[in-house]
Amino acid sequence: VEYARLVHRVDRKCEEDNALAYPRLGFDGWLPFCDSMAGVFGQTWNALGPPKLKDHLPRWVPLFAEAFGSDALVSLARYFSVSLRATGTVDALHCERNGAHVWLNQVEGRRLFFLFSPQEMDKLYAGYTTGESPVDVFYPSARRHPKFADATAHVVTLYLGQTLVIPSGWWWCSVALEPCVTIGHTFWNLENKVYFR
């Protein structure tokens, strides 16, 4: 987090000339609730996400954990991650794997999201099996990806304390507008349970 704050102070405008001196790094997929914060997670996991959200993982994971002889709480914690981002850090355009829904809770800073519905997939040149798109949303190539010009993006800025829920099959990318910390949780319910792995 301190590195992200330093980059923000020194290169607030994300000048291209400073790209080598101050690389835009993001630390994604950190699983702090599996070890150092397991006790806190056990007491607070059900309050981390949006209320009344249909998430069947708390029911399904203990069944799998019991069958495989693992700790249910640690297994559930693996579906919660934290990402830290410096100003200007960009996520590539992607879709959650295994048909998961995802919610993202902004703990610090602001993050700008570009979301594309599943109907836009052919315009994104995306592979559903890989969950990735080769299109650079910020500098698209009209020669390599001409259909992208017809794609419709939904744009959302996520502020401190806000949560964004991205449904299964939706494609998204983001850019950190300032140093930020985000808690994310992939989940399944009856709408997308056929993809649960």
Side-chain angles (χ1 to χ4, degrees):
V1 175
E2 287 307 313
Y3 176 77
R5 289 184 181 139
L6 168 74
V7 171
H8 185 67
R9 277 193 313 271
V10 176
D11 189 22
R12 202 175 283 270
K13 293 184 179 180
C14 299
E15 298 288 338
E16 190 173 342
D17 294 342
N18 295 330
L20 287 176
Y22 304 105
R24 305 300 168 191
L25 299 176
F27 185 62
D28 225 0
W30 178 35
L31 303 173
F33 305 119
C34 290
D35 47 33
S36 62
M37 296 180 64
V40 173
F41 179 76
Q43 299 167 7
T44 62
W45 70 267
N46 55 354
L48 290 174
K52 299 183 181 177
L53 185 72
K54 293 179 182 173
D55 179 0
H56 290 191
L57 276 182
R59 290 193 336 211
W60 297 341
V61 167
L63 299 173
F64 286 100
E66 183 179 332
F68 293 104
S70 60
D71 182 87
L73 195 59
V74 171
S75 297
L76 181 62
R78 294 190 185 286
Y79 292 95
F80 290 80
S81 64
V82 174
S83 68
L84 311 169
R85 302 186 176 292
T87 305
T89 303
V90 175
D91 274 323
L93 185 57
H94 69 284
C95 180
E96 294 304 312
R97 295 191 196 292
N98 300 322
H101 302 301
V102 65
W103 59 250
L104 301 159
N105 187 331
Q106 198 64 26
V107 177
E108 184 176 323
R110 293 178 302 138
R111 196 165 160 190
L112 182 66
F113 289 85
F114 296 85
L115 303 136
F116 299 87
S117 76
Q119 289 76 27
E120 302 286 343
M121 196 167 110
D122 66 318
K123 297 172 191 167
L124 305 177
Y125 299 86
Y128 191 76
T129 55
T130 63
E132 298 172 359
S133 169
V135 175
D136 182 341
V137 173
F138 302 102
Y139 299 101
S141 169
R143 185 178 56 77
R144 286 185 299 181
H145 309 116
K147 292 190 273 181
F148 180 70
D150 298 326
T152 303
H154 302 268
V155 182
V156 175
T157 302
L158 199 58
Y159 292 89
L160 171 70
Q162 292 183 326
T163 301
L164 174 64
V165 178
I166 302 174
S168 173
W170 279 67
W171 293 80
W172 63 279
C173 64
S174 71
V175 62
L177 300 178
E178 55 192 42
C180 65
V181 178
T182 309
I183 296 176
H185 172 56
T186 53
F187 67 98
W188 290 262
N189 53 31
L190 293 180
E191 296 170 6
N192 63 340
K193 72 175 183 176
V194 296
Y195 303 111
F196 181 67
R197 291 177 217 180

